[in-house]
């Protein structure tokens, strides 16, 4: 129920439309009741009950309503009465449907805007989560919530939102009219509500449990499909196509079973409502008929109207029961949705955040250690180093030694477990993260590109950039000639993850993006390690153009590219074990020389 109120809270921005819809629902309910009353009068007229013979006792509300309608249709001949009843019937149905349409449009507007705002909030939340969130959660699961769970919420809202808002008001008005006609008969109806409600709620709770399990299963399927499509080359290379298809079929069958069991339960709601309804109608007909035929406690006219109102109320009651069941599917999906939105993020208070517009002196790492969540070992241990402005710093070491973790801390993807990082004289944790990253450019080993034009990929993250600036950055990155050779030039779309480009072309586009950003600090994460010799030469030339007059932190795989670095930091098991320039480290005859010698041997072989 808590999540239902949270979902409905998204509608607060549309309170004016809610009020209009609420008023329209009331007016619809009133005109619907009036149309049924007129239908009762029409039947009475057809069967020859003269309105002149009706009781003139108008002390009660029921009698006053009767008197009002009888006054409208009172005439000299039965045909004239019938004519007036038909006119009143037409008028009530016209206004009833006008207010129904206003209500429908208003509720559709609210419902669709709520779903839009939920989806916006979810995506905004995901974009603001720290990198550690993505370490622990599958991309496929996040996409499943965005596409499947929010869609289930939309479907549930579509089936239940109008019903809850619209039919409850109609049922309330119809129940009130039943109570006016016969309080004793109406009390019988009220006493059956808890029985029906209990059965429907029990069924709905079971539907919610199965819907929740189904949402987890479709998330697993989404993750599975995404992983296998990304790795399709490996799947084919190792002849695993049949195996992967069989795995998918097995998982998809489990999902089908969960959905089928859910639908079987959902299908119970209508028969249960109908059986309860027909039992209720039979009892009322028997009991009410006795009051009309034997005791004369109710006039035939009123009993006829009572039956009309009763059967008119059974339809929205049935819809309400089905809607409760449908809503459980949406609530099950909302559990997963809010579990992501509510993911805890440590935030500095705005008053504590510092804005820095320039990098003037140094970055100081003071006794920093870091440990990933759910890991027993520290990725970095007691790191102490100062990077001065304008220095070219190289990070080397075996795989898993802590180099990338070091660069991730500089980008504030993670916060140190222990120790502090300073940018000039400001502590990293106190600096506005967005402002900090404006000062840093990143070129990764796997160039991150989007299924967009070359122009938009290079200018990504930059505002008020004209094409000439993009072209200049591309020329500096030695990629301009290739771009203009494309059929659509800078407007060419490069495919998902830049699949239409070679590795070297992707890296040079990534470097052009960093050049356009023009940051004072640059981080290269093994930017040339996966390239062939020819591509590496072109990328290295682009890098040389980029690093001029900047502070550079370069994670290196090929040691030949970092011989001219001002300082080389050698990592091993999360610690800096050696530090100095190339010549100094060779003289130390330590780990650096060992790694350098191994690479030379590989080259000669």
């Amino acid at each position: 129920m808590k999540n239902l109120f949270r979902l409905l809270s998204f509608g607060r921005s549309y309170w004016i439309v809610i009020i209009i819809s609420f008023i329209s629902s009331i007016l619809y309910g009133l005109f619907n009741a009036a149309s049924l009353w007129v239908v009762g009068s029409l039947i009475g007229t057809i069967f020859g009950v003269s309105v002149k013979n009706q009781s003139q006792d108008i002390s009660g509300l029921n009698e006053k309503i009767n008197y009002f309608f009888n006054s409208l249709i009172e005439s000299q001949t039965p045909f004239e009465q019938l004519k007036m009843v038909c006119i009143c019937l037409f008028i009530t149905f016209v206004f009833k449907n006008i207010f129904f349409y206003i209500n429908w449009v208003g509720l559709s507007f609210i419902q669709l805007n709520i779903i839009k705002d939920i989806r916006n909030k979810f995506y905004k939340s995901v974009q603001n989560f720290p990198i550690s969130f993505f370490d622990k959660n599958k991309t496929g699961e996040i996409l499943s919530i965005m596409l499947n769970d929010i869609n289930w919420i939309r479907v549930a809202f579509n089936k239940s939102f109008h019903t809850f808002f619209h039919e409850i008001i109609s049922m309330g008005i119809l129940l009130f009219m039943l109570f006016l006609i016969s309080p004793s008969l109406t009390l019988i109806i009220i006493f059956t509500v808890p029985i029906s409600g209990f059965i429907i709620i029990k069924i709905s709770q079971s539907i919610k449990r199965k819907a929740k399990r189904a949402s987890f299963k479709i998330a697993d399927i989404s993750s599975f499909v995404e992983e296998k499509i990304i790795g399709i080359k490996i799947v084919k290379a190792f002849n695993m196509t049949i195996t992967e298809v069989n795995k998918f079929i097995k998982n998809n069958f489990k999902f089908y079973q969960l959905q089928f069991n859910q639908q079987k339960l959902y299908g119970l709601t209508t028969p249960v409502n109908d059986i309860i309804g027909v039992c209720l109608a039979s009892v009322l007909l028997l009991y009410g008929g006795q009051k009309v035929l034997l005791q004369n406690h109710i006039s035939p006219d009123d009993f006829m109207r009572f039956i009309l109102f009763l059967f008119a109320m059974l339809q929205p009651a049935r819809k309400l029961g089905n809607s409760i069941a449908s809503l459980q599917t949406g609530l099950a999906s909302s559990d997963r949705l809010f579990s992501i939105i509510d993911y805890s993020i440590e935030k500095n208070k705005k008053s504590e955040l510092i804005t820095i517009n320039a990098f003037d002196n140094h970055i100081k790492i003071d006794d920093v250690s870091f440990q990933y969540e759910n890991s027993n070992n520290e990725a970095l241990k007691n790191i102490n180093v100062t990077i001065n402005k304008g220095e070219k710093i190289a990070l080397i070491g075996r795989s898993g030694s802590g180099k990338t973790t070091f660069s991730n801390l500089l980008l504030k993807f993670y916060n140190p477990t222990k120790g502090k990082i300073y940018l000039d004289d400001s502590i990293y944790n106190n600096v506005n993260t967005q402002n900090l990253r404006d000062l840093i450019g990143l070129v990764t080993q796997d160039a991150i590109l989007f299924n967009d034009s070359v122009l938009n990929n290079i200018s990504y993250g930059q505002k008020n950039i004209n094409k000439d600036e993009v072209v200049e950055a591309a020329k500096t990155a030695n990629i301009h000639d290739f771009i203009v050779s494309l059929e659509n030039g800078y407007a060419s779309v490069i495919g998902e993850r830049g699949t239409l480009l070679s590795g070297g072309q992707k890296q040079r586009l990534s470097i052009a993006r960093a050049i356009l950003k023009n940051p004072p600090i640059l981080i290269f994460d093994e930017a040339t390690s996966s390239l062939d010799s020819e591509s590496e030469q072109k990328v290295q030339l682009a890098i040389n153009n980029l690093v001029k007059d900047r502070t550079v932190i370069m994670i290196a795989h090929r040691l030949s590219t970092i011989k001219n670095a001002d300082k080389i930091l050698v990592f091993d098991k999360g610690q800096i074990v050696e530090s100095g320039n190339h010549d100094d480290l060779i003289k130390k005859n330590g780990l650096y020389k060992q790694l350098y010698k191994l690479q030379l041997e590989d080259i000669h072989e």
Side-chain angles (χ1 to χ4, degrees):
M1 192 59 69
K2 177 184 175 183
N3 282 348
L4 176 60
F5 287 124
R6 287 189 68 178
L7 291 171
L8 294 176
S9 69
F10 283 88
R12 283 183 301 215
S13 302
Y14 312 103
W15 63 272
I16 294 177
V17 182
I18 291 174
I19 291 172
I20 293 172
S21 298
F22 181 73
I23 294 171
S24 298
S25 286
I26 293 174
L27 292 172
Y28 166 82
L30 292 174
F31 276 100
N32 184 47
S35 67
L36 292 172
W37 202 284
V38 172
V39 168
S41 299
L42 176 62
I43 294 171
T45 301
I46 290 172
F47 283 99
V49 180
S50 174
V51 297
K52 288 183 178 181
N53 296 328
Q54 302 296 323
S55 172
Q56 296 302 308
D57 180 13
I58 56 173
S59 58
L61 185 57
N62 180 37
E63 289 74 17
K64 289 179 180 178
I65 295 172
N66 263 325
Y67 180 77
F68 173 75
F69 276 102
N70 291 337
S71 299
L72 287 176
I73 63 175
E74 185 175 7
S75 186
Q76 296 297 320
T77 65
F79 180 75
E80 290 296 322
Q81 290 179 11
L82 179 63
K83 180 178 174 183
M84 288 302 300
V85 168
C86 290
I87 291 171
C88 290
L89 187 64
F90 175 78
I91 292 171
T92 54
F93 265 81
V94 167
F95 279 99
K96 179 179 82 168
N97 284 282
I98 287 173
F99 289 116
F100 173 83
Y101 183 72
I102 293 171
N103 174 260
W104 178 270
V105 171
L107 292 180
S108 297
F109 174 84
I110 297 163
Q111 167 208 325
L112 293 174
N113 271 289
I114 286 174
I115 297 301
K116 176 201 70 179
D117 294 344
I118 288 171
R119 191 176 280 115
N120 288 343
K121 184 175 179 63
F122 177 78
Y123 187 72
K124 182 180 178 181
S125 297
V126 170
Q127 285 292 326
N128 283 297
F129 288 150
I131 295 296
S132 58
F133 169 84
F134 301 97
D135 294 339
K136 296 183 294 183
N137 292 275
K138 300 174 185 176
T139 304
E141 185 172 356
I142 296 169
L143 290 175
S144 174
I145 294 172
M146 170 69 80
L147 301 175
N148 295 311
D149 287 289
I150 293 180
N151 184 60
W152 278 119
I153 294 172
R154 182 192 66 78
V155 171
F157 262 40
N158 188 48
K159 289 184 176 180
S160 61
F161 197 73
H162 291 84
T163 302
F164 276 103
F165 199 95
H166 180 76
E167 304 296 353
I168 287 177
I169 294 174
S170 292
M171 284 178 62
I173 292 173
L174 291 172
L175 193 63
F176 177 73
M177 299 305 293
L178 289 171
F179 196 81
L180 284 181
I181 297 171
S182 175
S184 59
L185 291 177
T186 307
L187 286 174
I188 296 174
I189 298 172
I190 294 173
F191 286 139
T192 62
V193 171
I195 300 171
S196 177
F198 176 78
I199 296 172
I200 295 300
I201 287 171
K202 284 297 180 183
I203 294 173
S204 299
Q205 288 173 344
S206 184
I207 288 173
K208 182 180 179 181
R209 288 193 295 271
K210 287 175 172 55
K212 195 168 185 177
R213 288 199 290 269
S215 68
F216 279 111
K217 177 53 68 176
I218 194 63
D220 290 340
I221 291 173
S222 298
S223 295
F224 177 87
V225 170
E226 183 196 26
E227 186 177 63
K228 295 307 182 284
I229 289 176
I230 291 173
I232 191 67
K233 291 181 181 178
I234 297 298
V235 172
K236 290 183 177 295
F238 285 83
N239 291 321
M240 290 293 288
T241 300
I242 295 175
T243 302
E244 297 301 343
V245 168
N246 288 336
K247 284 182 182 178
F248 177 83
I249 291 171
K250 184 178 179 181
N251 284 324
N252 200 30
F253 180 72
K254 289 180 180 177
F255 179 61
Y256 147 77
Q257 286 180 311
L258 288 168
Q259 283 198 310
F260 183 57
N261 290 335
Q262 181 183 332
Q263 287 300 311
K264 285 191 293 185
L265 283 171
Y266 181 73
L268 277 177
T269 57
T270 297
V272 166
N273 274 324
D274 275 355
I275 290 170
I276 293 173
V278 76
C279 290
L280 176 63
S282 300
V283 170
L284 288 173
L285 282 171
L286 186 63
Y287 180 69
Q290 179 186 1
K291 283 182 170 289
V292 173
L293 298 174
L294 302 179
Q295 301 172 7
N296 293 321
H297 287 176
I298 304 176
S299 70
D301 242 14
D302 279 344
F303 184 62
M304 195 180 302
R305 290 193 182 99
F306 189 91
I307 296 302
L308 284 172
F309 280 120
L310 173 62
F311 280 95
M313 196 177 73
L314 289 178
Q315 182 67 15
R318 185 186 298 114
K319 289 182 180 178
L320 190 61
N322 291 339
S323 296
I324 291 172
S326 298
L327 188 62
Q328 296 306 314
T329 304
L331 291 178
S333 295
S334 73
D335 289 345
R336 278 164 44 81
L337 171 75
F338 288 123
S339 71
I340 298 296
I341 290 177
D342 293 339
Y343 183 85
S344 60
I345 308 173
E346 289 187 10
K347 295 182 179 180
N348 297 94
K349 295 179 180 177
K350 290 186 178 181
S351 59
E352 296 175 351
L353 296 178
I354 300 169
T355 300
I356 296 177
N357 297 315
F359 171 51
D360 298 320
N361 298 309
H362 60 263
I363 299 172
K364 183 180 179 182
I365 292 91
D366 184 16
D367 198 29
V368 164
S369 297
F370 177 76
Q371 183 173 335
Y372 288 100
E373 291 184 38
N374 303 322
S375 174
N376 297 323
N377 301 315
E378 288 183 315
L380 292 176
K381 304 173 187 176
N382 308 114
I383 303 296
N384 289 279
V385 66
T386 299
I387 302 170
N388 295 311
K389 182 179 179 180
E391 278 190 324
K392 308 295 185 288
I393 305 296
L395 314 179
I396 71 157
R398 298 184 179 93
S399 178
S401 59
K403 307 182 299 294
T404 299
T405 301
F406 182 88
S407 68
N408 285 339
L409 292 181
L410 294 181
L411 282 159
K412 210 178 176 183
F413 288 157
Y414 305 94
N415 291 320
T417 307
K418 188 184 79 172
K420 294 179 181 178
I421 302 176
Y422 295 86
L423 182 68
D424 295 332
D425 296 321
S426 301
I427 299 174
Y428 248 50
N429 283 1
N430 295 336
V431 177
N432 181 290
T433 301
Q434 187 175 359
N435 181 236
L436 173 70
R437 290 176 186 158
D438 283 339
L439 302 175
I440 304 175
L442 175 66
V443 180
T444 58
Q445 178 180 358
D446 298 319
I448 307 299
L449 299 172
F450 303 101
N451 189 25
D452 204 341
S453 67
V454 171
L455 181 72
N456 289 338
N457 270 283
I458 294 177
S459 62
Y460 187 77
Q462 307 305 308
K463 298 176 181 178
N464 303 318
I465 296 293
N466 59 52
K467 187 177 178 180
D468 291 339
E469 293 174 283
V470 174
V471 171
E472 194 60 37
K475 288 179 178 177
T476 306
N478 293 319
I479 191 67
H480 171 73
D481 291 340
F482 165 74
I483 294 171
V484 295
S485 71
L486 297 172
E487 183 178 356
N488 296 313
Y490 280 84
S492 300
V493 176
I494 60 175
E496 187 178 4
R497 299 170 183 256
T499 51
L500 301 181
L501 307 178
S502 70
Q505 290 160 353
K506 287 192 282 189
Q507 283 292 29
R508 281 180 283 158
L509 271 186
S510 182
I511 290 168
R513 184 165 60 198
I515 290 171
L516 189 65
K517 185 177 181 180
N518 194 29
I521 303 168
L522 281 168
I523 296 176
F524 290 91
D525 190 351
E526 302 194 77
T528 63
S529 64
S530 60
L531 304 178
D532 57 65
S533 299
E534 183 181 353
S535 296
E536 183 185 0
Q537 288 180 354
K538 293 179 180 179
V539 171
Q540 193 60 52
L541 182 59
I543 289 174
N544 293 338
N545 292 334
L546 175 58
V547 301
K548 293 174 182 176
D549 304 319
R550 302 180 202 275
T551 304
V552 179
I553 297 97
M554 183 179 293
I555 299 173
H557 174 72
R558 296 176 183 174
L559 303 187
S560 57
T561 63
I562 54 136
K563 290 174 64 175
N564 297 324
D566 298 314
K567 188 188 295 181
I568 300 171
L569 305 178
V570 185
F571 283 77
D572 187 40
K573 296 179 181 178
Q575 295 179 302
I576 297 177
V577 295
E578 294 178 17
S579 174
N581 60 35
H582 173 75
D583 294 333
D584 292 338
L585 293 174
I586 292 293
K587 291 176 184 177
K588 285 183 179 180
N589 200 28
L591 179 60
Y592 177 80
K593 185 176 180 179
Q594 181 183 343
L595 294 171
Y596 188 72
K597 185 179 178 181
L598 285 172
Q599 281 207 2
L600 286 176
E601 290 174 356
D602 289 341
I603 292 170
H604 292 314
E605 288 177 2

